[in-house]
Amino acid sequence: MKPNRPVNLDLGTIALPLPAKASILHRVSGVALVVAVAVLLYLFDLSLSGEAGFARAAGLLATTPAKLVIWAVLAALIYHCVAGVKHLLMDIGIGESLQGGITAARITFAVAALLIVLAGVWIW
């Protein structure tokens, strides 16, 4: 390693390639899903606590902010699944080249965006 090598510690100025952004977003969506599980388990527990709890959970889910939260959870799940398939395909040797990774990232973003829009239409 050269001692006079440039060091750039400002992450905001580093231009990441598209496959790196897709991979980082896959990890972020996984973390978001872990947090979402807690919220969904709370709602599930509330709905099973009795008739009043079920009515309260149903009332909460009928509001616009709750629909936005559910849509965000579905968006994270959809992206995580689509990117997971991309990673599995790359694990078996499909799209391992630089151009293949870029193409796979573009396809991942396009398919996920389409499915996320469809999920939003389904929720509303």
Side-chain angles (χ1 to χ4, degrees):
M1 185 164 78
K2 296 182 193 176
N4 60 355
R5 188 173 77 140
V7 178
N8 183 2
L9 299 177
D10 185 9
L11 295 178
T13 63
I14 296 174
L16 295 173
L18 194 61
K21 291 177 183 176
S23 183
I24 291 169
L25 192 55
H26 180 246
R27 292 174 183 179
V28 169
S29 67
V31 171
L33 286 173
V34 169
V35 173
V37 165
V39 174
L40 295 175
L41 282 176
Y42 166 75
L43 285 171
F44 185 58
D45 181 54
L46 182 64
S47 72
L48 294 178
S49 66
E51 190 175 330
F54 182 83
R56 185 167 175 225
L60 284 173
L61 289 173
T63 65
T64 300
K67 287 182 180 183
L68 286 173
V69 169
I70 295 299
W71 190 37
V73 170
L74 282 176
L77 181 63
I78 288 167
Y79 182 80
H80 196 75
C81 288
V82 172
V85 169
K86 176 187 77 89
H87 283 289
L88 287 174
L89 290 174
M90 292 179 78
D91 285 345
I92 61 172
I94 299 172
E96 285 183 325
S97 67
L98 177 60
Q99 188 56 43
I102 292 170
T103 303
R106 286 181 180 151
I107 291 170
T108 298
F109 287 135
V111 169
L114 175 68
L115 292 175
I116 289 168
V117 168
L118 289 175
V121 170
W122 177 63
I123 289 173
W124 277 284

